[in-house]
Amino acid sequence: MGTYELKSNTSITSRGREQGTSATRERDNVQLQRMGKKPVLKRNFGILSILGFSCTILGTWEGLLGTFVGPLTNGGSGGAIYAYIFGWVGCFANFVVLSELASMAPTAGGQYHWAAMLAPIGHHKFLSFITGWFAVLGWQSAFAACAFLTGKMIQGAAILGNNLYNALPWQGTLIVWGSLSLSLAVNLLGGNLLPRVEAGLLVLHIIGFFGILIPLVYMADHNTKEQVFLTFQNQGGFATQGLSWFVGMTSCAFAFAGGDAAVHMSEEVANASTVIPHALMISVGINGSLGFGMIIAMMFCADADLGGKLGSITGYNFMGIFIEATNSVPGSLAMCAIVITIYVCSLMGLLAAASRQLWSFSRDRGVPGWRLWSQISSGKQLPVFAILVTVTVAVLLSLINIGSNTAMEDIVSMAVSGIYLSYFMVSVLLFYRRVRGDISRYNDSDDDIVNVPGAKLVWGPFYCPGIIGTAINGYAIIYVTIVIFFSFWPSTMDPTVETMNWSVLAIGGSIFLAIIYYAVRARHVYNGPIVEISI
């Protein structure tokens, strides 16, 4: 009898859970339909998996290790710490803005959808189109840049383990292709595989931090607090220390780039209007804290030569710092393996985010070949063609590494500037609407189309009211403007052709071509987010 009751209660609990899941899915679909979009993707992500997705793509402490030299060359130890704090506060303000917009309109389109719904009618088409292209360029570059950094990091670890290994650029490109193949396989398998990988990666992201921090701090010789907090450098030869600090600060901004990744998965997240903002805000708290701990530890443990000869040969100063601290090649390789594993796995999430953004923009006819890239696989409910073209772009860009390592590094700057330009557009437009009081707190009719061009604007469950929200929005604009401006600067005052930052040319040229495409073709087919369903 007891056994029967247990089975009966279990059945009731299971049935209740299924009904709750079904109700949540129905509510999400209704909300998407109110923005005029058909639900075509499967909602496999919950709060834990999307939090892991957001945290690991943001990857602040891992990103700081990968770009450790930038803020030290221009800024020094003290400058790097204060630049990080500045970036963390600015990132928090920017994430609040993104969370408000994601709560209003949780779609895979993200920035270009928000630009269209916030821009004045008559300008919404062009502003949305340009914002979409900023996001496309930024995310496609970010995926390729992360793949490049991953391949280069694997080569660096090989050099650390075997000083006889002669790392060649074409070998690095092959390693990049191997990493891309793994990411492609995980994304194409679909189902619950990617959410489970991201949830597990969240655990590695946190435990791996302590796996590196504890042996590093325990075994290394420590600098004094004066050396850490009061040392400033200007190795780029800039006119003032302040200017040098701002140039070096962009490396910290790169560590916080990609905050909108979870947004582009909105149509695959249960209860997206609430879960996405919570995931963004929790991730900036977790990553900001871990990143701050890592940068303090590295400043106390790094020698003046920043990893010495091994740091220079491997291409990553943190590898040289690890070997100097532990005096153990196996121990250093184990610490490097943690960072490399997270980089490799983060490619899976980056591919998902970049492909969803491209798919959504194609769905609204914003890119050439939109008919093909906007297709959804009926069996897997995935944008297979958008995934394939994203990988193809990264494969082609990785060929640049064979000819020029410096040119490939400009792809990193291009990723930062492209993504932050899309943030700038929507932050300014939201500020404009906020000051005018054009956004309602409640929707009078649940049957109306909302948060699309020409329709009523309604706040979502997450928003900052009053003067606090306006102040945070304004600060986000100031911060993003500073990051964009200095992301185009070279690392030295008198750059050569090899050391010049060519990302401004790449971004400017790409947007120029996009404007030509708009004038010739896109203005006839692109109208902003298409209303696929009329309620």
Side-chain angles (χ1 to χ4, degrees):
M1 183 68 176
T3 303
Y4 172 77
E5 289 178 354
L6 178 61
K7 289 182 178 179
S8 177
N9 291 338
T10 302
S11 176
I12 292 172
T13 302
S14 177
R15 187 162 60 249
R17 188 183 298 112
E18 290 175 359
Q19 290 174 348
T21 303
S22 177
T24 300
R25 186 184 303 113
E26 182 63 27
R27 183 169 62 250
D28 288 330
N29 290 341
V30 168
Q31 183 180 29
L32 192 60
Q33 289 165 357
R34 289 180 63 208
M35 290 182 289
K37 293 298 183 185
K38 294 179 181 178
V40 294
L41 301 177
K42 191 173 182 180
R43 296 186 183 270
N44 290 319
F45 283 83
I47 179 62
L48 183 61
S49 54
I50 199 64
L51 177 61
F53 184 92
S54 180
C55 279
T56 52
I57 286 186
L58 200 59
T60 304
W61 70 264
E62 300 93 336
L64 282 172
L65 292 180
T67 58
F68 187 63
V69 177
L72 292 178
T73 302
N74 291 301
S77 177
I81 292 173
Y82 305 128
Y84 181 86
I85 295 172
F86 175 72
W88 190 6
V89 174
C91 179
F92 170 80
N94 188 47
F95 270 47
V96 170
V97 171
L98 294 178
S99 296
E100 289 180 318
L101 292 168
S103 189
M104 289 176 67
T107 72
Q111 292 93 308
Y112 82 85
H113 183 109
W114 303 334
M117 76 181 189
L118 295 171
I121 295 299
H123 302 285
H124 74 280
K125 281 177 57 175
F126 181 72
L127 291 178
S128 172
F129 179 81
I130 292 299
T131 303
W133 268 98
F134 282 143
V136 166
L137 292 172
W139 272 105
Q140 296 295 319
S141 299
F143 179 58
C146 186
F148 162 67
L149 292 174
T150 301
K152 188 178 176 183
M153 197 174 292
I154 293 172
Q155 276 194 306
I159 295 171
L160 185 64
N162 181 7
N163 56 12
L164 297 178
Y165 170 58
N166 181 26
L168 299 175
W170 66 266
Q171 295 171 342
T173 297
L174 290 180
I175 295 172
V176 169
W177 290 356
S179 302
L180 292 174
S181 299
L182 177 61
S183 301
L184 178 62
V186 172
N187 273 264
L188 290 182
L189 286 174
N192 291 320
L193 179 59
L194 183 59
R196 288 172 179 170
V197 169
E198 295 300 333
L201 198 54
L202 175 61
V203 177
L204 179 60
H205 175 64
I206 297 173
I207 294 178
F209 167 79
F210 291 102
I212 290 176
L213 187 75
I214 293 172
L216 179 66
V217 172
Y218 179 75
M219 303 181 73
D221 295 328
H222 296 166
N223 298 316
T224 65
K225 61 181 183 295
E226 289 78 15
Q227 289 174 312
V228 171
F229 294 102
L230 299 178
T231 300
F232 300 90
Q233 293 185 17
N234 181 6
Q235 295 183 18
F238 292 97
T240 65
Q241 181 63 53
L243 182 58
S244 175
W245 182 83
F246 275 110
V247 173
M249 180 269 302
T250 56
S251 295
C252 295
F254 173 74
F256 282 109
D260 58 309
V263 170
H264 301 303
M265 305 300 292
S266 293
E267 295 177 39
E268 298 169 65
V269 177
N271 197 16
S273 61
T274 300
V275 167
I276 294 294
H278 287 169
L280 291 179
M281 298 314 301
I282 294 172
S283 66
V284 76
I286 293 175
N287 279 274
S289 300
L290 297 182
F292 187 69
M294 185 58 71
I295 197 170
I296 292 293
M298 292 293 285
M299 295 309 170
F300 269 103
C301 298
D303 289 338
D305 59 359
L306 300 178
K309 184 177 180 181
L310 270 177
S312 176
I313 294 175
T314 60
Y316 287 93
N317 292 76
F318 76 86
M319 294 185 181
I321 294 171
F322 286 174
I323 193 70
E324 289 179 350
T326 63
N327 199 27
S328 168
V329 172
S332 299
L333 286 175
M335 294 164 70
C336 292
I338 295 173
V339 182
I340 292 172
T341 300
I342 296 174
Y343 264 79
V344 171
C345 293
S346 69
L347 281 175
M348 303 170 190
L350 278 166
L351 175 56
S355 61
R356 297 325 186 262
Q357 195 280 330
L358 176 63
W359 163 75
S360 184
F361 201 35
S362 301
R363 175 178 58 176
D364 292 317
R365 306 174 183 177
V367 296
W370 56 267
R371 288 184 178 86
L372 182 59
W373 319 134
S374 62
Q375 292 183 25
I376 293 291
S377 169
S378 57
K380 295 182 179 297
Q381 292 181 280
L382 291 171
V384 173
F385 288 108
I387 293 173
L388 291 174
V389 74
T390 299
V391 171
T392 302
V393 169
V395 166
L396 295 176
L397 286 177
S398 67
L399 293 173
I400 297 174
N401 181 51
I402 298 176
S404 173
N405 183 65
T406 303
M408 194 64 204
E409 290 175 350
D410 287 340
I411 301 295
V412 177
S413 295
M414 187 174 172
V416 173
S417 55
I419 291 175
Y420 273 87
L421 279 166
S422 70
Y423 295 164
F424 175 79
M425 297 290 286
V426 295
S427 297
V428 169
L429 290 171
L430 179 63
F431 189 81
Y432 165 76
R433 289 292 192 176
R434 181 175 240 132
V435 171
R436 284 171 50 95
D438 291 338
I439 308 176
S440 303
R441 179 65 189 95
Y442 301 102
N443 187 37
D444 299 329
S445 174
D446 290 337
D447 296 330
D448 291 340
I449 295 287
V450 297
N451 295 336
V452 296
K456 184 177 182 179
L457 295 175
V458 181
W459 287 114
F462 181 96
Y463 83 110
C464 290
I467 190 65
I468 296 176
T470 304
I472 292 175
N473 196 162
Y475 182 77
I477 294 172
I478 295 172
Y479 169 71
V480 170
T481 302
I482 292 172
V483 171
I484 293 170
F485 178 72
F486 286 102
S487 70
F488 294 128
W489 281 58
S491 58
T492 59
M493 191 62 185
D494 299 308
T496 64
V497 174
E498 290 77 17
T499 60
M500 180 63 185
N501 185 347
W502 297 104
S503 61
V504 63
L505 179 62
I507 285 285
S510 299
I511 292 302
F512 178 72
L513 293 176
I515 292 174
I516 293 177
Y517 172 67
Y518 180 83
V520 174
R521 173 62 177 165
R523 66 188 178 91
H524 301 295
V525 297
Y526 181 77
N527 293 300
I530 296 173
V531 177
E532 301 171 326
I533 298 176
S534 298
I535 298 180

